[in-house]
Amino acid sequence: QSVLTQPPSVSAAPGQRVTISCSTGSTHIASDFVSWYQQLPGTAPKLLIYENDKRPSTIPDRFSGSKSGTSATLGITGLQTGDEADYYCGAWDNRLSAWVFGGGTKVTV
Amino acid sequence: QVQLQESGPGLVKPSETLTLTCSVSAGAIVSYYWSWIRQSPGKGLEWIGYVFYRRSATYNPSLQSRVYMSVDTSKNEFSLTMDSVTVADTGMYFCARWNANNLDSWGQGILVTVSS
């Protein structure tokens, strides 16, 4: 069971918006920084969001991140079929002294 | 943009030692931490650890008794060694660049199967 809790799946029609939650559930995730990764089928993960809400320059602004308290959220607007993928959140766990990933959320368009 | 490429055996026997290497393009291997992540078939991501060229590595507590990471600056590569592998170690292994608080560049991954 992952330290970071994500819903197993979300779905929406093309053009709509989805949000994916990532709950730390504890204060052991002491860093304020959560990052998000997209893993398209059969490929390596790719960084989507870092430091809660920042996007690498190559990532379109349809993707957004936010964090409030012990929960982070990834938002995807204008859903496209090409967005069908697994999405993972990640953060440093001070209690484990290790990086931890959420269990992943499968997005279906 | 940095590129990473994993290499190593695709098949390892149970109880043997697995060694994987990640080649880093565009230099600067001394400027970052470098990480290994794995993914069992059909499962989520598991962080194995990270290493900096002149510091001891930090490992996932669940694996630290069996893993070792190192950096070879002369070859611009870093490596992962895992002892006493079992079938449970089968999966995709990814190398990645650790950038302060995220993994910003990933290799394409290498499939490792543990089987006799």
Side-chain angles (χ1 to χ4, degrees):
Chain A
Q1 190 170 355
S2 302
V3 174
L4 303 179
T5 302
Q6 298 180 233
S9 63
V10 297
S11 63
Q16 292 191 332
R17 178 178 184 261
V18 294
T19 59
I20 301 170
S21 60
C22 173
S23 173
T24 66
S26 77
T27 57
H28 296 136
I29 310 297
S31 166
D32 280 339
F33 296 136
V34 172
S35 51
W36 290 90
Y37 304 84
Q38 177 193 59
Q39 186 176 31
L40 295 168
T43 70
K46 178 176 70 174
L47 177 66
L48 271 186
I49 298 289
Y50 64 100
E51 294 180 3
N52 302 329
D53 58 8
K54 296 180 174 60
R55 278 180 294 106
S57 59
T58 57
I59 302 301
D61 60 6
R62 299 188 300 106
F63 297 90
S64 64
S66 64
K67 185 174 182 292
S68 178
T70 59
S71 185
T73 301
L74 173 70
I76 311 173
T77 59
L79 265 178
Q80 303 173 0
T81 55
D83 297 330
E84 287 200 332
D86 293 320
Y87 293 81
Y88 295 89
C89 59
W92 185 262
D93 186 319
N94 274 348
R95 180 178 63 88
L96 297 175
S97 292
W99 182 261
V100 291
F101 289 101
T105 299
K106 183 176 183 59
V107 170
T108 302
V109 181
Chain B
Q1 177 165 342
V2 67
Q3 293 188 354
L4 298 92
Q5 178 68 59
E6 303 88 350
S7 61
L11 179 65
V12 185
K13 290 183 170 54
S15 80
E16 292 189 342
T17 295
L18 167 67
T19 298
L20 299 176
T21 299
C22 182
S23 297
V24 179
S25 72
I29 197 168
V30 300
S31 301
Y32 292 91
Y33 284 73
W34 303 93
S35 195
W36 288 95
I37 303 97
R38 70 179 183 177
Q39 185 171 34
S40 299
K43 302 295 186 183
L45 302 171
E46 180 181 30
W47 182 78
I48 300 172
Y50 65 37
V51 63
F52 189 66
Y53 82 103
R54 58 178 181 183
R55 294 181 185 171
S56 57
T58 299
Y59 306 117
N60 188 320
S62 67
L63 296 169
Q64 65 181 13
S65 64
R66 297 197 292 128
V67 299
Y68 174 76
M69 295 180 188
S70 62
V71 178
D72 187 334
T73 57
S74 67
K75 296 181 179 179
N76 230 49
E77 63 186 31
F78 61 103
S79 63
L80 166 70
T81 300
M82 181 179 290
D83 296 328
S84 305
V85 298
T86 69
V87 171
D89 295 312
T90 292
M92 287 293 290
Y93 285 73
F94 300 99
C95 60
R97 187 173 73 175
W98 176 270
N99 192 357
N101 46 44
N102 61 82
L103 296 153
D104 70 349
S105 298
W106 294 64
Q108 64 185 27
I110 183 170
L111 177 62
V112 175
T113 301
V114 179
S115 174
S116 55

